């Protein structure tokens, strides 16, 4: 157990819908990272928050947004969902602002039908 | 644009048969190169961070090395429990600390 909790574990939704994925980082970790993993694209970095502020941005679509709350948990919002958004979404956390020793959660498997 | 290419895509080893995985990269400003291990259905597990050419790090049967253009992950005398997908990623300080992953190398170690 990495100490990073993601909910829900599985999510099935229809095209055009909006979903929210939640991540609770390890105790004391200030950084939260979101990743998308699909069979054809591999693991892609989406966005990083550090102590509530956006720190780094990857290939995150405009239909996606994220935020980190004062209690340091984070949410990833995916809207106007398309079939191609079906993937595993991982959250990771680390004590500092770098990816060094980032611990990953078990992921949320999103299926868009 | 940053690029990370891992080879081979898949590797089948006999227990005890040492081998190396390659990660070739192109990045504007290397802030760090990361190695992760991922088991099926699970999140990646951090292994190493390398920051500059010539740096080496070891952990049990794994040793990671870094040059200006590539990194190697050496697996010495592997055991079946080393079977996993190994991912390499680079962080670009010239691109807002964006992280780019390679496609991974699937390693299967047979007893």
């Amino acid at each position: 157990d990495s100490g990073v909790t993601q909910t829900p574990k599985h999510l099935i939704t229809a095209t055009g819908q909006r979903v929210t994925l939640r991540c609770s980082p390890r105790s004391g970790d200030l950084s939260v990272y979101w990743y998308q993993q699909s069979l054809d694209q591999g693991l892609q970095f989406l966005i990083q928050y550090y102590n509530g502020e956006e720190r780094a941005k990857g290939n995150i679509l405009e239909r996606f947004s994220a935020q980190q709350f004062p209690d340091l948990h984070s949410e990833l919002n995916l809207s106007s969902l398309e079939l191609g958004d079906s993937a595993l979404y991982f959250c990771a956390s680390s004590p500092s602002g770098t990816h060094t020793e980032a611990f990953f959660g078990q992921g949320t498997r999103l299926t868009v039908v | 644009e940053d690029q990370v290419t891992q080879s081979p895509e898949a590797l089948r080893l006999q227990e005890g048969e040492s081998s190396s995985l390659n990660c070739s990269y192109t990045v504007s400003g290397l802030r760090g190169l990361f190695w992760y291990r991922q088991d099926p259905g699970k999140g990646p597990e951090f292994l190493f961070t390398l920051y500059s050419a010539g740096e080496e790090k070891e952990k049990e049967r794994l040793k990671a090395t870094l040059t200006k253009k590539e990194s190697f992950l050496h697996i010495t005398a592997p055991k079946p429990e080393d079977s996993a997908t190994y991912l390499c990623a680079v962080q670009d300080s010239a691109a807002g600390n964006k992280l780019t992953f390679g496609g991974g190398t699937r390693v299967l170690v047979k007893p």
Side-chain angles (χ1 to χ4, degrees), chain B residues 8-72:
Chain B
E9 286 187 8
L11 191 59
R12 293 167 67 98
L13 301 171
Q14 285 296 129
E15 185 172 1
E17 178 188 0
S18 301
S19 188
S20 293
L21 283 55
N22 178 265
C23 171
S24 297
Y25 64 90
T26 304
V27 64
S28 300
L30 182 69
R31 182 168 184 174
L33 184 142
F34 305 87
W35 281 99
Y36 292 89
R37 168 198 169 119
Q38 186 174 25
D39 294 304
K42 295 191 175 182
E45 175 189 341
F46 171 79
L47 293 173
F48 304 108
T49 307
L50 301 167
Y51 294 102
S52 57
E55 190 174 358
E56 298 183 352
K57 287 195 176 171
E58 286 188 68
K59 180 180 179 179
E60 297 179 356
R61 294 177 293 281
L62 301 177
K63 179 179 176 180
T65 62
L66 181 65
T67 73
K68 287 186 178 180
K69 293 185 178 181
E70 56 193 350
S71 177
F72 292 93

Side-chain angles (χ1 to χ4, degrees), chain A residues 37-96:
Chain A
Q37 188 171 41
S38 60
L39 284 175
D40 56 343
Q41 299 271 6
L43 190 63
Q44 291 203 75
F45 167 64
L46 297 178
I47 197 164
Q48 176 198 357
Y49 280 84
Y50 177 76
N51 203 20
E53 300 286 328
E54 184 182 303
R55 174 63 69 98
K57 207 166 185 175
N59 299 325
I60 188 166
L61 300 173
E62 285 191 11
R63 300 183 285 109
F64 296 0
S65 65
Q67 58 185 118
Q68 187 179 28
F69 295 88
D71 67 352
L72 300 177
H73 90 272
S74 178
E75 292 181 355
L76 179 67
N77 299 296
L78 315 176
S79 62
S80 303
L81 285 167
E82 302 174 359
L83 296 178
D85 297 326
S86 296
L88 260 173
Y89 290 84
F90 287 107
C91 166
S93 74
S94 70
S96 70

